[in-house]
Amino acid sequence: MRVMNVSKDYARSGTALRDVSFELRKGEFVFLVGHSGAGKSTLLKLLSMAERPSLGEVRVSGYSSSSITTREIPHLRRRLGIVFQDFRLLPDRTAEQNVAFALEVTGTPHAQIAPKVARLLTQVGLTSRATAYPHELSGGEQQRVAIARALANDPFLLLADEPTGNLDDRATHAIFVLLREINARGTAVLMATHNVGMIQRSNLRFLQLDQGELRFDGTDTARLLAD
Ligand code: ADP
Ligand code: ADP
């Protein structure tokens, strides 16, 4: 996955990203930091091709933002997992039905769905809550369902847009541990977060956006304090 000299301008608000370049290697775990409005969500949307760059090029999983067709975008999305701060679960479906839905829409053979859902819920530590509805679950549990759903089609890359932004410290830590486990099994993770402490303790690579510009790419957490 590669972002090459990408700028993104929005008609109303102007420049959201300016000449951003970086590479994400297979199986990497990378944080994305920056103040509100720095361009984190825009960058994630460019990677899922929900938005196209105004300048430059994004390459993900063999697709290029310069040549991908509207019809190909769903194929790319199936190779990605995406989780959001606000979970975005279907409220009228149980935890297991939410996960099953992601498999149904991609045409997974019916007989494979139930065992796969069970496996995914086990992976996120939620087997005992399989038949609960989202409103019956805590924020941390809802995010686990969302993560299980994001993993349903075996993505090579998980995009997480402030996945712990609505969670307390304990749930935040548990979700981070879960994302690290998922990463250890081979899925690359790009995680936008405001949680500087998490980055400092983990010693992982981070990308720092500042008003649409990539200000730092590396592991030196002293750069976070200079903020
Ligand atoms: P972050 O995720 O770091 O908070 P965003 O990527 O959401 O930052 O926003 C970066 C800038 O782009 C902000 O100035 C924001 O107002 C603007 N922006 C984001 N999405 C849109 C949009 N769909 N239309 C217009 N402006 C947008
Ligand atoms: P909008 O893109 O106008 O904000 P949505 O948030 O509903 O609308 O997203 C539309 C599509 O864009 C979703 O299907 C999702 O795949 C993608 N998308 C939205 N936000 C992100 C994000 N932060 N990261 C990656 N993809 C995103």
Side-chain angles (χ1 to χ4, degrees):
M1 194 239 59
R2 191 187 282 261
V3 171
M4 290 172 286
N5 303 103
V6 162
S7 296
K8 177 67 184 175
D9 302 312
Y10 286 113
R12 276 177 296 111
S13 55
T15 302
L17 291 174
R18 193 190 309 271
D19 199 21
V20 170
S21 299
F22 68 92
E23 198 179 334
L24 213 96
R25 285 174 295 277
K26 225 174 132 182
E28 239 188 321
F29 191 110
V30 179
F31 288 113
L32 181 59
V33 280
H35 293 297
S36 182
K40 303 183 294 297
S41 293
T42 299
L43 186 56
L44 294 175
K45 287 182 184 178
L46 287 163
L47 294 176
S48 63
M49 309 258 181
E51 297 279 1
R52 304 281 186 121
S54 308
L55 286 173
E57 183 184 353
V58 177
R59 286 198 203 153
V60 188
S61 185
Y63 294 102
S64 163
S65 59
S66 307
S67 57
I68 192 170
T69 63
T70 308
R71 216 187 285 184
E72 286 171 330
I73 290 177
H75 295 277
L76 167 65
R77 294 273 174 78
R78 270 170 219 176
R79 310 224 47 228
L80 303 175
I82 307 178
V83 296
F84 302 94
Q85 179 171 356
D86 57 359
F87 322 129
R88 303 196 191 181
L89 299 174
L90 298 169
D92 56 345
R93 290 174 195 248
T94 64
E96 60 187 4
Q97 288 167 347
N98 265 278
V99 179
F101 187 68
L103 293 162
E104 288 158 12
V105 297
T106 54
T108 307
H110 187 75
Q112 292 174 18
I113 291 181
K116 181 126 199 208
V117 169
R119 205 166 348 116
L120 287 160
L121 288 176
T122 303
Q123 192 183 345
V124 301
L126 221 60
T127 37
S128 64
R129 308 294 278 138
T131 59
Y133 286 88
H135 75 268
E136 299 172 314
L137 299 172
S138 69
E141 288 171 333
Q142 289 182 64
Q143 194 59 290
R144 286 172 188 276
V145 178
I147 291 169
R149 178 181 61 182
L151 295 178
N153 293 295
D154 304 309
F156 73 95
L157 169 62
L158 185 67
L159 302 175
D161 197 350
E162 308 212 18
T164 64
N166 283 338
L167 305 180
D168 63 25
D169 286 349
R170 203 159 139 252
T172 291
H173 180 69
I175 291 294
F176 176 58
V177 169
L178 175 60
L179 292 175
R180 292 292 289 146
E181 284 168 13
I182 289 162
N183 177 244
R185 291 168 168 234
T187 308
V189 178
L190 182 60
M191 174 179 176
T193 183
H194 282 297
N195 196 322
V196 167
M198 190 189 289
I199 299 171
Q200 286 172 323
R201 285 189 294 276
S202 66
N203 200 35
L204 291 161
R205 177 182 171 200
F206 64 93
L207 304 169
Q208 185 175 35
L209 283 174
D210 182 20
Q211 296 182 45
E213 295 189 34
L214 185 57
R215 201 170 81 170
F216 183 73
D217 175 356
T219 57
D220 179 8
T221 53
R223 299 293 299 231
L224 294 168
L225 301 172
D227 213 19

